Amino acid sequence: LAHTMSSPTSPCEEVIKNLSLEAIQLCDRDGNKSQDSGIAEMEELPVPHNIKISNITCDSFKISWDMDSKSKDRITHYFIDLNKKENKNSNKFKHKDVPTKLVAKAVPLPMTVRGHWFLSPRTEYTVAVQTASKQVDGDYVVSEWSEIIEFCTADYSKVHLTQLLEKAEVIAGRMLKLSVFYRNQHKEYFDYIREHHGNAMQPSVKDNSGSHGSPISGKLEGIFFSCNTEFNTGKPPQDSPYGRYRYEIAAEKLFNPNTNLYFGDFYCMYTAYHYVILVIAPVGSPGDEFCKQRLPQLNIKDNKFLTCDEEDGVMVYHHAQDVILEVIYTDPVDLSLGTVAEITGHQLMSLSTANAKKDPSCKTCNISVGR
């Protein structure tokens, strides 16, 4: 397909080594048949219809379709037009995301389409297909395009999260002691809990901060706690972005041998420091069942982020020094199990991670399957 490449340094050259199914990226994303050089139209080739997408992962899917049997034996290739679904609010003038038209040899259906260079997790795509016949001169005769169908890629699997976990372990740093988990909020929040929820903080659905492919975003219900300590005092920092009132609870009340610990995410927000999300779930609870199927489980006594071990009959707790831990506890927590007091420090709004977007270019906390 050299004639469709504008120059030897075309982006096509860059991706060829990554392709599966001998797919080739055509550079002209918006081109139609009349503009695609060397592509002629011939009615006989069957048009794909009844397209089915299956086996969807965060960076692959299977595609199959029906087509008339006439001229079927002339088909040598499939053209697949794969596009991110247009977001009505997206800036039309910014550089369009790759993907796009792929050329694949005509293999038996269903055919697997995969490649981290064009598929991102948890993203809506449109896809259309045409059949093609390669001529002796290298040009293609093509069918009409099929109908356009839509599908959405999946979340990160445990395999992908394990890759993220391994990256996070590299920078976790040495372990420091901790004694409490804490949660900062405004005074109104705690007043509301006392009046309307019988004194118990309730789990709520996690927002969309962190990795785009995270299986817990928008799905897992829990209560966010922090556990990082100041290096010099061993106590929680006096500053917080989340409100001037702090609930503190002894670590063993939330984290003990009757709870399971899971790795949830690793991300940064265009900053030098990184966040690790951990999930603590009472054994057998709904949160535990949710995590068991989706997240890598950590050994509570031996991991690089947050440990709980017994020394001389006393539970001892440690947390990683070089990452900011965000801990999600999946059950309600009664305020009477801890204390609420006003902090003396500042409200540092810049540290808030609410719906924060992960930096997709960071080499430290991204894996190779989309963002």
Side-chain angles (χ1 to χ4, degrees), residues 21 54 86 121 137 142 237 257 358:
L21 303 166
S54 61
E86 283 293 342
D137 61 2
V142 295
K358 178 172 181 172

Side-chain angles (χ1 to χ4, degrees), residues 155-185:
D155 297 335
Y156 282 155
S157 67
K158 268 192 193 177
V159 171
H160 301 118
L161 286 169
T162 300
Q163 292 173 19
L164 263 188
L165 162 63
E166 288 164 358
K167 286 194 151 232
E169 286 174 339
V170 172
I171 69 152
R174 69 183 180 125
M175 304 290 276
L176 301 176
K177 271 194 178 179
L178 73 114
S179 57
V180 298
F181 290 102
Y182 56 96
R183 172 175 172 80
N184 274 67
Q185 280 285 356

Side-chain angles (χ1 to χ4, degrees), residues 347-367:
Q347 244 188 279
L348 301 175
M349 293 313 294
S350 62
L351 286 175
S352 171
T353 60
N355 285 309
K357 291 289 168 270
K358 178 172 181 172
D359 177 359
S361 63
C362 177
K363 298 282 187 286
T364 304
C365 62
N366 281 293
I367 55 176

